[in-house]
Amino acid sequence: MHSKDDITTHNAAACETIIGAKKLISLIVPVLNEELNIFPFYEAVLPVIGQCKQHYDFEILFTDNHSSDSTFQKLTELTQRDKRVRAIRFSRNYGYQKSILNGYLHARGQAIIQLDCDLQDPPILLLAFLKKWEEGHAVVYGIRLKTDNNIVVSLTRKLFYRTINFLSEDNLPLDAGDFRLVDRKIVEVLRQTDDAQPYLRGMIATTGFSQVGIPYNRSERQRGKSHFQLKDMVKLALDGILNHSVVPLRIASFFGIIVSIITAFLAFSYMICKLYFNLAWPSGFTTLTMLLLFGISINALFLGIIGEYLGRIYQQVKKKPVVIETSLENLN
């Protein structure tokens, strides 16, 4: 865990070790009805990026998810005041994940850092992210040690992260939100992916490359209220599970196999009881029971087969890259 003084010292050392020509760094900031946070966020970020202005150029890209307050007017004012600031307004609310993805695709930097406008994720950590990036890591993400949520929400989040990691065929980071730095090559991979319901935490995690987390304590929101409601959390959880696992489709297969085994065991038991113990069953009981269990098992097995094909169709329509190449040697 990093204290504020430790982080400042760590970041100062990071700046001293960074050498070479200036690189463009993009900060992407999704917003929705954040009129109270626009200028405080801007003022909080300025001194942080100023610490490395000799080594980096910066752009700040806001994606406005069709705010109904004066958010975009304030963003327009900022773009006129500071040419490093850019702003995009959507025609309607497309959701948090699509807002972030749109920011990635419009960013021009060699590294892209996503952070929220409410300042719950400390901007001072940007420089620690940059240091890790300069060390060769393609993705640097924040690991939440402590949040401002109540105990129920915190436990629910922890359970969600561990559930999706258990169900997923990919290794996903635990307790990591969307506060992260990604290299330009990650963005180019995202550009190749066509997903109607993107789950960026998982999409980025599955690209591979070197990825590292930095633990931190998340601050409380100081102004306004969160627009990420319970229904949004549930939708994000479903997107995360369904984007990285076909286990739900395979439940029918497992159920069918189990019922078939039970049916075979009961059929054998009924036969033994009838032939060797001469037990008297009600007329038609055995036949009806066996037919019922046999019908359930057959339906479950066929549903499982259909589920397996649906899972393959699902993976196909996501249009992921076949592989992601990191280097090519002597191909001529």
Side-chain angles (χ1 to χ4, degrees):
M1 180 175 65
H2 299 270
S3 68
K4 188 172 182 180
D5 291 339
D6 291 339
I7 291 173
T8 303
T9 303
H10 182 65
N11 290 333
C15 290
E16 292 175 359
T17 60
I18 296 170
I19 59 175
K22 282 189 178 183
K23 301 175 182 178
L24 178 62
I25 307 300
S26 298
L27 307 183
I28 60 171
V29 189
V31 293
L32 174 64
N33 295 331
E34 293 285 3
E35 59 183 0
L36 298 177
N37 285 308
I38 298 299
F39 290 117
F41 171 83
Y42 176 74
E43 296 298 332
V45 165
L46 280 185
V48 176
I49 64 179
Q51 292 186 44
C52 278
K53 63 182 180 181
Q54 294 182 345
H55 307 289
Y56 296 109
D57 288 323
F58 288 87
E59 68 168 359
I60 306 175
L61 174 60
F62 291 89
T63 54
D64 179 15
N65 218 344
H66 200 72
S67 297
S68 57
D69 60 6
S70 63
T71 294
F72 195 70
Q73 287 84 347
K74 294 182 183 297
L75 291 178
T76 302
E77 183 180 337
L78 265 185
T79 61
Q80 295 171 351
R81 180 194 304 183
D82 189 338
K83 297 302 181 184
R84 296 174 298 181
V85 178
R86 302 162 59 207
I88 303 170
R89 178 172 168 82
F90 303 156
S91 63
R92 64 175 177 84
N93 187 339
Y94 285 91
Y96 183 60
Q97 292 293 295
K98 291 182 179 179
S99 179
I100 301 173
L101 179 58
N102 185 268
Y104 279 130
L105 299 182
H106 279 86
R108 298 178 294 199
Q110 293 168 266
I112 298 90
I113 302 174
Q114 190 270 313
L115 67 166
D116 291 337
C117 190
D118 55 19
L119 295 175
Q120 289 186 272
D121 299 322
I124 196 66
L125 268 180
L126 302 185
L127 302 180
F129 281 11
L130 287 170
K131 181 177 184 296
K132 290 294 184 182
W133 176 58
E134 292 287 355
E135 290 174 356
H137 300 288
V139 179
V140 186
Y141 53 86
I143 302 174
R144 300 170 179 175
L145 295 180
K146 179 182 176 183
T147 68
D148 66 326
N149 300 124
N150 61 52
I151 187 66
V152 176
V153 176
S154 296
L155 289 176
T156 302
R157 286 182 184 275
K158 286 183 177 296
L159 177 62
F160 159 68
Y161 286 125
R162 283 148 184 80
T163 300
I164 186 176
N165 199 43
F166 173 76
L167 293 176
S168 176
E169 299 170 1
D170 306 301
N171 187 26
L172 306 181
L174 298 177
D175 303 319
D178 292 300
F179 182 36
R180 69 173 78 84
L181 174 150
V182 302
D183 189 90
R184 163 58 56 184
K185 58 179 172 256
I186 302 292
V187 175
E188 296 308 315
V189 173
L190 294 179
R191 199 181 299 277
Q192 299 176 46
T193 304
D194 184 9
D195 197 331
Q197 301 294 332
Y199 178 69
L200 285 170
R201 302 174 195 181
M203 291 169 64
I204 291 172
T206 58
T207 58
F209 300 102
S210 177
Q211 307 193 15
V212 65
I214 296 180
Y216 74 102
N217 288 329
R218 204 161 192 250
S219 306
E220 295 183 4
R221 172 184 276 266
Q222 300 297 321
R223 305 168 192 84
K225 63 179 182 179
S226 174
H227 301 283
F228 200 70
Q229 305 301 323
L230 178 61
K231 63 180 179 64
D232 300 309
M233 294 183 184
V234 172
K235 182 180 182 300
L236 182 64
L238 288 175
D239 285 343
I241 293 173
L242 297 179
N243 265 276
H244 295 279
S245 176
V246 293
V247 170
L249 286 173
R250 288 179 175 157
I251 290 176
S253 297
F254 298 144
F255 179 74
I257 292 171
I258 292 172
V259 173
S260 298
I261 293 173
I262 293 174
T263 300
F265 175 76
L266 289 177
F268 181 75
S269 300
Y270 284 143
M271 184 178 65
I272 295 296
C273 290
K274 184 69 174 177
L275 295 178
Y276 292 96
F277 297 99
N278 200 27
L279 294 180
W281 305 103
S283 179
F285 171 78
T286 304
T287 303
L288 289 176
T289 301
M290 300 310 302
L291 287 175
L292 179 62
L293 291 174
F294 181 74
I296 292 174
S297 63
I298 289 296
N299 285 334
L301 283 173
F302 279 112
L303 282 175
I305 294 171
I306 293 172
E308 291 295 326
Y309 278 100
L310 282 176
R312 283 157 176 74
I313 293 172
Y314 171 71
Q315 297 291 351
Q316 178 68 25
V317 299
K318 287 169 72 75
K319 298 181 181 177
K320 290 183 178 180
V322 177
V323 297
I324 301 171
E325 299 172 346
T326 60
S327 61
L328 303 174
E329 299 293 341
N330 196 26
L331 289 185
N332 294 329

